[in-house]
């Protein structure tokens, strides 16, 4: 039986992320929305010149996913 621990990563709009695992591994994106009430973030990725917004639950993010904490 496993345990899921909620993330304590603090994210802000404009923050740059690098995806380290999963189907988007290797992609970089920018946080465009932080929904603290629903504990979700929206990250914008650029695929072949097209922007795509992807929603993530913050409970599954890790600190090492953050590339740059400076505002874009």
């Amino acid at each position: 039986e496993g345990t899921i621990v909620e993330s304590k990563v603090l994210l802000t709009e404009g923050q740059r992320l690098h995806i380290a695992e999963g189907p988007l591994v290797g992609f970089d994106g920018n946080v465009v929305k932080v929904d603290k009430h629903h504990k979700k973030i929206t990250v914008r990725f650029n695929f072949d010149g097209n922007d795509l917004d992807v929603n993530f639950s913050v409970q599954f993010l890790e600190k090492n996913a953050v590339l740059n904490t400076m505002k874009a």
Side-chain angles (χ1 to χ4, degrees):
E1 190 172 323
T3 303
I4 297 176
V5 178
E6 190 168 332
S7 173
K8 301 206 184 325
V9 177
L10 300 176
L11 297 166
T12 58
E13 292 178 11
Q15 197 167 24
R16 189 143 175 84
L17 298 179
H18 177 76
I19 304 301
E21 292 183 313
L24 297 174
V25 67
F27 284 97
D28 298 326
N30 292 310
V31 177
V32 293
K33 182 178 179 185
V34 177
D35 183 345
K36 292 179 183 178
H37 179 48
H38 292 105
K39 298 181 181 177
K40 294 185 180 185
I41 64 165
T42 302
V43 179
R44 181 166 292 148
F45 297 96
N46 187 285
F47 295 101
D48 294 325
N50 297 310
D51 288 336
L52 176 67
D53 291 351
V54 179
N55 295 311
F56 291 93
S57 175
V58 294
Q59 68 186 8
F60 298 113
L61 297 176
E62 297 179 7
K63 284 185 182 179
N64 64 1
V66 178
L67 267 185
N68 184 350
T69 58
M70 297 180 67
K71 294 276 185 181

